[in-house]
Amino acid sequence: MTAATPQGPRKGIVLAGGSGTRLYPITHSISKQLLPLYDKPMIYYPLSVLMLAGLREVAIITTPADQDQFRRLLGDGGRWGMRIDYIAQPRPDGLAQAYVLAEDFLAGAGSTMVLGDNVFFGHGLPEMLHAAAARPSGGTVFGYAVRDPERYGVVAFDADGRVLSIEEKPEKPKSNFAVTGIYVLDGAAPARAATLRPSARGELEIADLLNLYLAEGQLTVERMGRGYAWLDTGTHASLLDAGNFVRTIEERQNLKVGCPEEIAFHQGWIDASALRDLAAPYLKTEYGRYLLRIAEGG
């Protein structure tokens, strides 16, 4: 048994590796997580989730070939009042591998990891993440009802709603609740992940890591209800659907989804003057004009 580790100061991880083969040919020359999702790069959305959770130290895990492109886009995070580090993933050997790669970055801290091709939206999401991070030890994941659970990690519950198991892409799912791409784990995650053996797919499966927590009574599964949207962007159709979803929300509400500059401002990490400076290069776009309105109290 791995001893429970107190959460401590929490750090963030965005897993943005992989080759994006399901999106070929558009990902032949660019990382999937750098593709445009309506009016901003895809990685802005998972990064914004971590920012909404109050996390200012974030590691971006990418392929070695793509790392320079992410650096050009995000820099060191200083312009948003953050610190962004970069970790290379030589091969996509499973989601749980992220914790092995990030061990030095985490340095014993608890973490919230978001998959780089996932989009989350819903009132109360920051509060839900803060509540998960406040647990003194263990792990928390989020279940979401889907029509095609066989495509995901699936949570099995008993009659009283207690979690029995998590199965990766089961042929016969035991529920329709999929595990979403947010993982809130304590500082023991790297040590636990290092004990895993590759699955039949040759990967370190996130489901196996979560089941280690479950076996020790250390896993909580929170169900996301109807007020939340969870979208992945792994296919051409789902990429288009996610972009249309963001466009609809933004045009209807006149508010941006996944806007790091705005979140940094509202978190108090940058001031209005800094936000105006960030808006200046973008003033030919609605994105830049939106930032300017926020900076001026609009």
Side-chain angles (χ1 to χ4, degrees), residues 105-167:
F105 165 76
L106 294 174
S111 62
T112 298
M113 182 171 77
V114 185
L115 301 187
D117 61 354
N118 279 209
V119 178
F120 293 88
F121 181 80
H123 178 72
L125 180 61
E127 291 79 7
M128 181 178 285
L129 294 173
H130 280 294
R135 294 190 172 101
S137 63
T140 301
V141 293
F142 301 91
Y144 191 92
V146 296
R147 185 179 60 182
D148 47 357
E150 64 278 359
R151 293 179 52 212
Y152 305 96
V154 175
V155 186
F157 298 96
D158 67 14
D160 296 319
R162 290 186 293 264
V163 180
L164 295 174
S165 66
I166 296 178
E167 297 179 272

Side-chain angles (χ1 to χ4, degrees), residues 43 58-62 66-77 84-88 105:
I43 195 170
V58 173
I60 310 294
I61 299 180
T62 76
D66 292 326
Q67 198 166 99
D68 284 346
Q69 291 177 300
F70 282 95
R71 287 184 185 273
R72 283 197 296 272
L73 174 65
L74 304 174
D76 64 1
I84 296 179
D85 289 2
Y86 296 88
I87 299 172
F105 165 76

Side-chain angles (χ1 to χ4, degrees), residues 120 125 128 142-145 180 182 222-226 228:
F120 293 88
L125 180 61
M128 181 178 285
F142 301 91
Y144 191 92
T180 73
I182 301 178
E222 299 283 2
R223 302 192 196 198
M224 286 183 161
R226 293 190 177 196
Y228 293 93

Side-chain angles (χ1 to χ4, degrees), residues 172-252:
K172 296 182 179 180
K174 295 177 181 177
S175 82
N176 68 332
F177 274 90
V179 177
T180 73
I182 301 178
Y183 309 91
V184 183
L185 302 183
D186 66 15
R192 285 186 168 101
T195 69
L196 299 178
R197 294 185 177 183
S199 66
R201 301 194 304 163
E203 297 186 0
L204 300 182
E205 303 287 358
I206 193 70
D208 291 342
L209 176 58
L210 298 178
N211 278 317
L212 290 181
Y213 279 90
L214 179 62
E216 297 175 14
Q218 288 282 308
L219 185 70
T220 300
V221 178
E222 299 283 2
R223 302 192 196 198
M224 286 183 161
R226 293 190 177 196
Y228 293 93
W230 169 48
L231 307 169
D232 71 47
T233 55
T235 67
H236 301 100
S238 62
L239 179 65
L240 181 62
D241 289 344
N244 285 331
F245 174 84
V246 170
R247 179 186 177 188
T248 299
I249 295 295
E250 291 191 352
E251 291 193 353
R252 173 71 66 175

Side-chain angles (χ1 to χ4, degrees), residues 80 260-273 275 294-295:
W80 298 331
E261 297 90 346
E262 179 184 13
I263 297 170
F265 176 66
H266 287 309
Q267 294 279 38
W269 302 347
I270 61 174
D271 60 19
S273 176
L275 184 56
I294 297 296

Side-chain angles (χ1 to χ4, degrees), residues 23-133:
L23 288 171
Y24 276 179
I26 58 177
T27 50
H28 261 304
S29 60
I30 188 171
S31 167
K32 170 174 62 174
Q33 291 85 7
L34 291 172
L35 293 174
L37 189 60
Y38 184 47
D39 58 349
K40 58 192 79 71
M42 186 188 298
I43 195 170
Y44 274 26
Y45 298 90
L47 181 60
S48 292
V49 170
L50 297 176
M51 295 173 72
L52 288 169
L55 304 183
R56 300 178 73 169
E57 291 187 57
V58 173
I60 310 294
I61 299 180
T62 76
T63 68
D66 292 326
Q67 198 166 99
D68 284 346
Q69 291 177 300
F70 282 95
R71 287 184 185 273
R72 283 197 296 272
L73 174 65
L74 304 174
D76 64 1
R79 70 181 186 270
W80 298 331
M82 301 176 65
R83 171 188 153 194
I84 296 179
D85 289 2
Y86 296 88
I87 299 172
Q89 183 185 36
R91 297 179 308 277
D93 289 337
L95 302 187
Q97 184 192 32
Y99 294 98
V100 179
L101 296 173
E103 183 174 13
D104 289 343
F105 165 76
L106 294 174
S111 62
T112 298
M113 182 171 77
V114 185
L115 301 187
D117 61 354
N118 279 209
V119 178
F120 293 88
F121 181 80
H123 178 72
L125 180 61
E127 291 79 7
M128 181 178 285
L129 294 173
H130 280 294

